[in-house]
Amino acid sequence: MDGSEKSRPSSPPQDRQDLDGPPELPEYAERVLDVAERIPPGRVMTYGDIAEWLEEGGPRQVGRVMALYGATVPWWRVVRADGNLLPGHELRAMEQYRAEGTPLREAGRAAEGHIPRLDMRRARWDGAD
């Protein structure tokens, strides 16, 4: 990385003092996180959308980057294509969606926990400004 590129920490240091500053990220991870930061409030992109935008990798690679480094960006805006919320993070994500006005679809009675899903038709962002 040259001096013009920023580096994001993956997460706060645990059980050790990080005296050298934040670790440098792989170039692909930087690119994924940059796209995630561009997604406007109230809109979402799927893991596959980001891979397609970058013309590199696939949904699993984007998901891996988000799992490792996504805490530093609006992670709730990078979602599964089916509109289901990320297991284990539903409540935190739902707070963000409601605050940002992200379009949601009410869950059916049969849905586990009656957790709404994203309305992908209305919430999906194509990357155009």
Side-chain angles (χ1 to χ4, degrees):
M1 234 194 279
D2 67 25
S4 66
E5 295 178 68
K6 60 186 171 195
S7 177
R8 293 182 184 85
S10 60
S11 63
Q14 297 178 3
D15 300 329
R16 68 176 181 88
Q17 190 102 22
D18 191 351
L19 301 176
D20 298 329
E24 287 191 22
L25 297 179
E27 188 270 337
Y28 183 73
E30 283 283 348
R31 293 176 59 215
V32 167
L33 297 177
D34 285 343
V35 173
E37 286 181 327
R38 291 179 182 203
I39 303 169
R43 304 299 298 272
V44 298
M45 287 182 92
T46 69
Y47 299 107
D49 290 342
I50 291 179
E52 188 176 315
W53 172 274
L54 295 174
E55 298 179 345
E56 184 179 355
R60 290 179 187 254
Q61 289 81 10
V62 172
R64 180 76 175 147
V65 168
M66 293 303 296
L68 292 173
Y69 311 110
T72 64
V73 299
W75 55 267
W76 58 91
R77 296 181 192 152
V78 182
V79 301
R80 295 171 38 162
D82 63 6
N84 287 323
L85 305 188
L86 187 62
H89 301 280
E90 299 96 332
L91 297 178
R92 288 178 42 216
M94 190 58 63
E95 288 176 21
Q96 297 295 334
Y97 297 139
R98 288 192 170 127
E100 294 180 356
T102 307
L104 300 170
R105 296 179 67 173
E106 288 305 316
R109 290 188 181 272
E112 187 176 328
H114 304 290
I115 296 173
R117 292 184 332 164
L118 293 161
D119 183 340
M120 294 302 291
R121 185 179 52 79
R122 294 179 24 223
R124 200 172 203 166
W125 186 59
D126 64 6
D129 292 323

